[in-house]
Amino acid sequence: MAGQQTFVIVGASLAGASAAGALRDEGFDGEIHLIGAEEHLPYIRPPLSKEYLAGTADRASVFVESKSWYTDRDVQFHPGTRAVDLDLAAHRVRTDDGESRRYDRLLLTTGSRPRRLAVPGATLGGVHYLRTLDDTELLHSLLAAGGRRLVVVGSGWIGLEVAATARTFGNEVTVLERGAVPLAAALGDELGNLFATLHEHNGVVIRRSVSVESLIGSSGQVTGVILVGGETVPADLVLVGIGAVPNVELAEKAQLGVDNGILVDASLQTSDPHVFAAGDVANAEHPLISQHLRSEHWANAVNGGPAAARAMLGQNVSFDAIPYFYTDQFDLGMEYSGFGPLTRGADLVYRGDPVSGAFIVFWQNAGRVVAGMNVNVWDVNDAVQALIRRAEPVDPVRLANESIPLGQV
């Protein structure tokens, strides 16, 4: 593409920074503007609820690149700047600092935000969410010394990771779960209970099938969570982890296609041919399963940003990366690859004994491996993904047989 062209990336996220790097790697020599609402350099989010929260990783390790990287690659970074209006006809983005910037191609990597708890008392001091670097640093400062009573509302990945770290620090931790089993939506009851047992064995109290009615406090600070039915769970701190909402407001205002994220095709192009979207905010058509899929995990951002960059350059792109994420909780480390929507009603096939704490489990739908999770078993993720990508029936007996290498199943 001609050097005089201007590409604008709205969202200084992992996806946005990865896209900027890919544009330069692919030879684009026009202007690149990276617009970010936060004051920080783009950073990686998984450590925020894992090793950085735990204090086992230093601050520099969470940033995608150093400040000099952006200067060296002539990426014009605009921190503390929020895009407020998008004019598709004029190819312009207006920001809250009064600037109106023209683009030839636009990439939206605006991510998502925590879903807020909508009950009386939810705005009391001591009620926290974890999404940003600042959130993590504040939580670490409050939890690291131990001795606090933390109540976690929600038992998703963020909630359970924070619960594990807080408990390791020596805090009292109670997790409130609306359903009967934590992580049931992601893993099903059987494996969700495995995580629940892990937490309970480490002293976390998990309250199942409970709902929050309100929060109470004293002098503006939270002191407890009132459950439906009237019981009060004492709390010095409350962490709310009840899901995330994609930041689609800019796209909606511009009348781009939106449905649980910004709708994009397999090349990550929106309903406007000059506008693309990647990362948490993109609800992308996945070519391997012929349906739209929105993934909030790290791998989607690190792979989707460069894919969108290549598509912006006019290359033929079909983004078919298999969704992947990982977690670390107490002595359990896990990697998961696969298509969550296809696991509903699927058969579970175990390779190894879950009681041992080290095993692989596969989800089979009509004989096809649609997802796999390795727990405390390493260097197998490529083989797991290859089985998923095969997209044809696999013999479950061979799949479960540990004497047969996964590559030969």
Side-chain angles (χ1 to χ4, degrees):
M1 282 195 166
Q4 70 270 18
Q5 288 199 319
T6 298
F7 284 8
V8 174
I9 302 170
V10 175
S13 57
L14 173 58
S18 298
L23 287 171
R24 291 300 186 220
D25 290 344
E26 293 289 334
F28 178 70
D29 60 358
E31 286 188 21
I32 300 176
H33 293 270
L34 179 60
I35 299 171
E38 293 186 58
E39 294 290 348
H40 301 297
L41 291 168
Y43 53 84
I44 305 166
R45 295 193 189 276
L48 302 188
S49 59
K50 300 180 178 72
E51 58 266 34
Y52 189 52
L53 178 65
T56 59
D58 62 27
R59 195 173 196 267
S61 68
V62 307
F63 294 108
V64 181
E65 303 290 353
S66 66
K67 186 176 181 179
S68 61
W69 183 90
Y70 299 91
T71 303
D72 293 344
R73 284 156 183 78
D74 194 21
V75 175
Q76 299 183 47
F77 176 45
H78 306 274
T81 305
R82 189 177 298 276
V84 295
D85 190 61
L86 172 57
D87 187 333
L88 298 179
H91 288 203
R92 285 194 170 274
V93 176
R94 184 168 62 84
T95 50
D96 60 1
D97 59 0
E99 291 289 327
S100 176
R101 185 164 284 108
R102 190 185 182 283
Y103 63 84
D104 292 285
R105 296 288 185 274
L106 174 69
L107 175 61
L108 300 175
T109 54
T110 48
S112 56
R113 62 186 182 276
R115 181 173 282 109
R116 297 280 158 170
L117 184 63
V119 300
T123 59
L124 285 165
V127 178
H128 299 271
Y129 297 81
L130 198 160
R131 176 66 185 177
T132 69
L133 182 60
D134 294 337
D135 293 338
T136 293
E137 291 177 342
L138 177 57
L139 276 172
H140 177 85
S141 72
L142 295 169
L143 295 170
R148 310 298 293 276
R149 296 172 300 180
L150 172 68
V151 174
V152 179
V153 180
S155 63
W157 298 112
I158 295 292
L160 290 186
E161 287 173 356
V162 174
T165 297
R167 184 68 190 132
T168 301
F169 283 146
N171 299 282
E172 295 180 22
V173 181
T174 301
V175 175
L176 306 179
E177 163 57 34
R178 290 184 63 182
V181 181
L183 298 174
L187 302 178
D189 288 355
E190 192 170 312
L191 290 158
N193 275 318
L194 180 148
F195 279 86
T197 300
L198 170 72
H199 278 258
E200 289 167 342
H201 282 174
N202 283 277
V204 175
V205 175
I206 297 183
R207 299 291 305 277
R208 305 168 186 243
S209 302
V210 296
S211 296
V212 175
E213 182 173 282
S214 62
L215 276 59
I216 56 172
S218 175
S219 301
Q221 292 291 310
V222 70
T223 59
V225 179
I226 299 180
L227 305 180
V228 172
E231 180 186 353
T232 298
V233 181
D236 301 311
L237 300 166
V238 172
L239 174 77
V240 179
I242 54 175
V245 180
N247 294 322
V248 299
E249 290 76 14
L250 190 66
E252 273 187 327
K253 188 176 178 181
Q255 297 187 329
L256 291 170
V258 170
D259 182 10
N260 183 32
I262 302 172
L263 290 171
V264 293
D265 64 15
S267 72
L268 304 182
Q269 184 181 78
T270 72
S271 54
D272 183 294
H274 301 95
V275 181
F276 298 76
D280 290 19
V281 76
N283 189 359
E285 181 183 351
H286 201 292
L288 293 184
I289 61 173
S290 300
Q291 62 179 264
H292 279 80
L293 190 67
R294 189 174 72 84
S295 174
E296 297 174 356
H297 299 294
W298 163 84
N300 184 48
V302 76
N303 296 316
R310 293 190 294 272
M312 293 163 73
L313 293 170
Q315 297 180 21
N316 186 20
V317 171
S318 180
F319 183 52
D320 66 352
I322 295 171
Y324 164 92
F325 66 91
Y326 70 97
T327 191
D328 296 302
Q329 299 174 35
F330 299 111
D331 59 354
L332 183 151
M334 174 275 268
E335 296 177 296
Y336 175 103
S337 295
F339 301 106
L342 302 185
T343 63
R344 298 183 183 95
D347 298 318
L348 295 180
V349 177
Y350 289 93
R351 172 175 281 238
D353 184 0
V355 176
S356 73
F359 64 96
I360 308 172
V361 59
F362 299 93
W363 284 258
Q364 280 193 295
N365 190 328
R368 171 186 173 183
V369 176
V370 295
M373 180 173 77
N374 47 295
V375 177
N376 291 336
V377 176
W378 306 111
D379 302 320
V380 297
N381 187 252
D382 287 347
V384 171
Q385 292 215 3
L387 284 168
I388 297 169
R389 195 172 289 277
R390 189 190 297 179
E392 60 186 32
V394 175
D395 182 353
V397 175
R398 292 179 62 82
L399 194 60
N401 190 336
E402 295 179 85
S403 68
I404 301 175
L406 280 179
Q408 298 176 21
V409 170

